[in-house]
Amino acid sequence: AVLRPMVRQAADLRGEYDVIASVATGAIIHGGVIARELRAPHVIVKKQEKTEHGLAGLIDGDISILPQARVMLVEDMSSTFGSSLEAMASLKHEGARVVHTLLINTWNFPDFQRNIEGHSVHSLCTGAMIVAQAINSGTVDEEHQDILNHWLVHPDDESWAHNGKWELPKGEMK
């Protein structure tokens, strides 16, 4: 269900990038399928080098295609955009430039918003969309809706969870 919209989004942007790069490991299959469907070259950006087995380096695939390449980076889920920024640095080291990042989901936390500044980021789903769907389907009641919405804006504030009872922090308006 998620691959079709990702392929459509990537197809809409196709003239703007030459290579698809997946952030390991969560986005490998998604980037691979998109690359296959659109007949685009594909590489995988790892978080750390393998030293015991496999290929050395942070990028698996034909890195000779990367110098001067425009890249669409594929990521599964991003809370802060940190993994994507690390992958971008690895690709830049090889001479490539990330022109778009395609995400399945982001919670859209404040750190994420700060980190995406200056980057072209496309996300199929956001935390607000998930919360809205949960509310509309009756999965989340009104009392917990406020807590979830507070969490989306203040993810580091865990004052809502005390003594096993979830409640909005004191002084927060509903």
Side-chain angles (χ1 to χ4, degrees):
V2 76
L3 284 170
R4 280 193 183 102
M6 290 184 85
V7 170
R8 272 195 304 273
Q9 180 72 53
D12 289 346
L13 300 168
R14 185 61 179 106
E16 299 177 29
Y17 63 89
D18 312 303
V19 175
I20 295 172
S22 298
V23 177
T25 60
I28 292 173
I29 191 72
H30 303 92
V33 168
I34 294 167
R36 182 174 184 271
E37 289 290 318
L38 300 180
R39 294 182 170 85
H42 180 241
V43 296
I44 298 166
V45 184
K46 301 178 290 191
K47 291 176 177 70
Q48 60 187 26
E49 277 189 72
K50 290 182 181 178
T51 55
E52 303 288 320
H53 63 282
L55 300 173
L58 291 174
I59 300 176
D60 284 347
D62 182 1
I63 63 170
S64 71
I65 64 174
L66 293 177
Q68 307 302 313
R70 299 170 302 161
V71 175
M72 182 179 70
L73 187 64
V74 178
E75 175 77 277
D76 58 344
M77 204 304 257
S78 183
S79 295
T80 66
F81 204 62
S83 294
S84 294
L85 292 173
E86 289 175 16
M88 287 177 188
S90 296
L91 289 160
K92 184 178 180 181
H93 180 75
E94 296 298 332
R97 178 175 54 95
V98 173
V99 294
H100 294 289
T101 301
L102 178 57
L103 309 169
I104 296 172
N105 177 55
T106 177
W107 291 107
N108 215 14
F109 292 144
D111 283 350
F112 176 85
Q113 286 298 313
R114 278 189 294 280
N115 288 335
I116 66 168
E117 252 183 63
H119 298 282
S120 174
V121 179
H122 311 269
S123 182
L124 299 182
C125 183
T126 65
M129 293 166 68
I130 293 170
V131 170
Q133 178 61 33
I135 292 163
N136 291 339
S137 69
T139 305
V140 172
D141 59 27
E142 211 173 297
E143 176 187 354
H144 292 97
Q145 171 186 349
D146 293 333
I147 293 168
L148 288 170
N149 285 325
H150 174 82
W151 174 71
L152 289 173
V153 177
H154 307 285
D156 296 329
D157 176 7
E158 295 183 2
S159 62
W160 50 266
H162 26 172
N163 301 329
K165 181 171 172 30
W166 292 14
E167 53 188 46
L168 207 56
K170 302 282 187 255
E172 289 290 326
M173 296 186 63
K174 286 190 172 186

